Amino acid sequence: MSETAPARPVVTGKPLSAARIATSSMIGTLVEIFDFIVYAFMAALVFGPLFFPAASPWMGTLAALGTHAVAFGMRPLGALLFGWLGDTRGRRTALLGSMLLMGTATVAIGLLPTFATAGLWAPVLLLAFRMLQGLAVGGEWGGAVLVAVEHAPKRRRSLYGSFVQLGTVLGIALASGVVLLVSTAVSADVFRAWGWRVPFLASALLVVLGLVLRKRLEETPEFVAELAKHEATTGRRPRVRAVFRDHWRELIAGSLMWSAPCSFLYVLMTGLVAYTKTYVPSLSGLDVQLGLLITSVVLAGLTLVSATRADRWGRERLIRWSGVLLVVWAFPAFWLVDTGAFGPMLLAMLVGSVCYAAFNGAVPSLMADLFPVASRYTGCGLCIAFGTAVAGGILPIAGLAVVGETGGSSVPLSLTLVLCGVLTLAGVALARRTRRDQPAA
């Protein structure tokens, strides 16, 4: 289908209320984040010996986490692909495509043979399907946010947009709970033999639910109006390259702003699974999973509180505070983790979650407002893709690698959090130069 003579977006079914649309976006994001995070847990827990047995235990874990990090490199490509679909063919089409791809890749990982069965083909296939997961999740967040925000009442854009971030938090909680349940229901040997496959295969049910909900979505009024206006004036649909040509400052600002929450998520939450496994043996994997579950539930409530305040207090102000809090808490958090006791570790997570919650409530509507409707899906998707690639993939893996070189010191991980907090502050400062944040009246 040519770009100059495209089919119109299809509007199907009975229109849903804005609240139901926001809830649908939340559940869709929950499904994709569940799939994405389950891999992170398994990479830290069992993928090293199963897919990279020739390496030492720590190097095997790093190799497995390396395949996890590769997905972050695929996220910008996913943002471009699904951003193009979302900005030219419709938000609904892109979101259905990203979920179908994620579900297929996740179930395939659950069916993979291990190194003992397939040799080198096992890690190669693992890497390939992880790359597809990264491609899919790269197209998820921007579209889910836009479906919620572009349907929302003007006074509640932050609240409705935060439902997508709520889906992220609940996806982490569900992944933690499922992994915790499976790992306690079977012995360690059984978990390594086949128990690790259960969360991947069970995700098929969640994907079916997500697809059913997303097929009921309407195209957003803002997108339909902008598309008609653009075609009437130019005779064609919007072009993706416009976001790089006209909005590169917004891309840089938005990408930098994601640094603090991504580093909290992948260093102080899921990253603890790998760190404590080797260097804080008094904290078991079950301890960390339980801490993640508790923190995620608390974080869900804090996210809604932050969202109700964002339009009133100013979204950029809340994001700035998230960066400051992470810088201040970076070293105390790992001092608590290094005590080797569950209570201090949980406290480290819970206090850090305030940083993430402040960001969660403010960022969805702010990201949407950084870009015009015609390039909004691409712009929002690229911001989180670039931000997570650096602060969620490269820096945490590098920090963990340096931990190994220093004999287990947590200082590199604390410094990673500090750096990412500073990057978020720089992103907020740049955003204020490219636009003026005006809270809804």
Side-chain angles (χ1 to χ4, degrees):
M1 185 179 294
S2 67
E3 191 173 18
T4 56
R8 305 294 296 175
V10 177
V11 178
T12 60
K14 183 180 179 180
L16 303 178
S17 68
R20 291 183 67 184
I21 288 169
T23 302
S24 177
S25 295
M26 177 193 72
I27 293 174
T29 301
L30 181 155
V31 173
E32 294 216 26
I33 293 301
F34 172 87
D35 289 351
F36 197 74
I37 294 297
V38 161
Y39 185 101
F41 291 153
M42 296 308 177
L45 291 172
V46 297
F47 279 179
L50 290 177
F51 291 92
F52 305 94
S56 67
W58 177 242
M59 292 306 297
T61 298
L62 284 180
L65 289 173
T67 63
H68 168 59
V70 164
F72 290 98
M74 295 297 295
R75 289 178 74 154
L77 295 179
L80 282 174
L81 171 62
F82 290 103
W84 170 75
L85 284 172
D87 284 332
T88 61
R89 267 56 180 178
R91 305 346 189 178
R92 176 176 173 270
T93 299
L95 285 173
L96 284 170
S98 70
M99 177 162 288
L100 186 60
L101 180 60
M102 175 63 85
T104 302
T106 301
V107 172
I109 291 172
L111 296 172
L112 277 181
T114 62
F115 189 91
T117 303
L120 288 175
W121 278 110
V124 169
L125 290 171
L126 180 69
L127 178 63
F129 287 122
R130 183 57 175 172
M131 291 173 70
L132 291 180
Q133 279 192 322
L135 196 70
V137 82
E140 165 62 26
W141 190 87
V145 162
L146 298 189
V147 166
V149 170
E150 290 180 354
H151 275 101
K154 290 193 176 296
R155 293 174 180 267
R156 294 181 175 268
R157 285 168 69 88
S158 291
L159 177 61
Y160 281 71
S162 73
F163 273 58
V164 177
Q165 290 298 89
L166 191 60
T168 298
V169 173
L170 294 178
I172 297 169
L174 183 60
S176 302
V178 170
V179 173
L180 182 64
L181 178 63
V182 175
S183 60
T184 55
V186 300
S187 67
D189 289 340
V190 171
F191 186 75
R192 284 191 295 270
W194 58 264
W196 64 269
R197 300 179 185 274
V198 173
F200 291 103
L201 299 178
S203 72
L205 299 175
L206 293 175
V207 170
V208 170
L209 172 63
L211 288 172
V212 169
L213 290 173
R214 285 194 165 169
K215 282 185 68 68
R216 300 183 62 202
L217 289 176
E218 298 281 343
E219 290 298 347
T220 70
E222 287 186 43
F223 169 74
V224 173
E226 177 62 25
L227 182 62
K229 176 182 176 183
H230 193 93
E231 289 180 331
T233 55
T234 66
R236 56 175 173 79
R237 294 203 170 194
R239 297 187 183 275
V240 170
R241 65 171 177 262
V243 74
F244 295 99
R245 183 189 64 222
D246 302 328
H247 304 288
W248 59 271
R249 291 182 181 84
E250 289 85 350
L251 279 176
I252 295 174
S255 300
L256 289 174
M257 279 193 285
W258 276 99
S259 300
C262 286
S263 64
F264 165 76
L265 178 58
Y266 292 105
V267 174
L268 194 52
M269 288 188 71
T270 58
L272 287 186
V273 178
Y275 173 70
T276 58
K277 178 184 176 183
T278 301
Y279 296 109
V280 193
S282 60
L283 287 170
S284 68
L286 297 181
D287 289 331
V288 179
Q289 294 292 339
L290 180 58
L292 283 167
L293 180 59
I294 294 171
T295 303
S296 297
V297 172
V298 172
L299 186 53
L302 292 176
T303 294
L304 291 176
V305 172
S306 171
T308 60
R309 301 292 92 190
D311 287 328
R312 184 167 299 179
W313 292 349
R315 297 167 294 182
E316 289 171 357
R317 180 181 298 175
L318 281 175
I319 294 174
R320 188 184 305 114
W321 273 109
S322 75
V324 171
L325 287 171
L326 190 68
V327 170
V328 170
W329 191 239
F331 280 92
F334 275 97
W335 293 339
L336 291 170
V337 172
D338 287 339
T339 65
F342 177 79
M345 180 202 69
L346 180 60
L347 179 62
M349 290 181 172
L350 289 174
V351 175
S353 71
V354 177
C355 151
Y356 194 28
F359 182 89
N360 273 355
V363 74
S365 63
L366 177 59
M367 285 291 165
D369 289 345
L370 279 177
F371 300 96
V373 176
S375 56
R376 188 175 279 171
Y377 198 128
T378 305
C380 289
L382 285 173
C383 283
I384 187 173
F386 289 142
T388 52
V390 175
I394 296 173
L395 291 180
I397 296 297
L400 285 169
V402 176
V403 167
E405 295 297 320
T406 59
S409 170
S410 63
V411 170
L413 298 179
S414 294
L415 290 176
T416 299
L417 295 178
V418 170
L419 173 60
C420 291
V422 171
L423 291 176
T424 287
L425 294 175
V428 175
L430 180 58
R432 290 189 66 83
R433 296 186 62 179
T434 59
R435 61 175 298 282
R436 182 174 181 177
D437 185 30
Q438 296 180 341

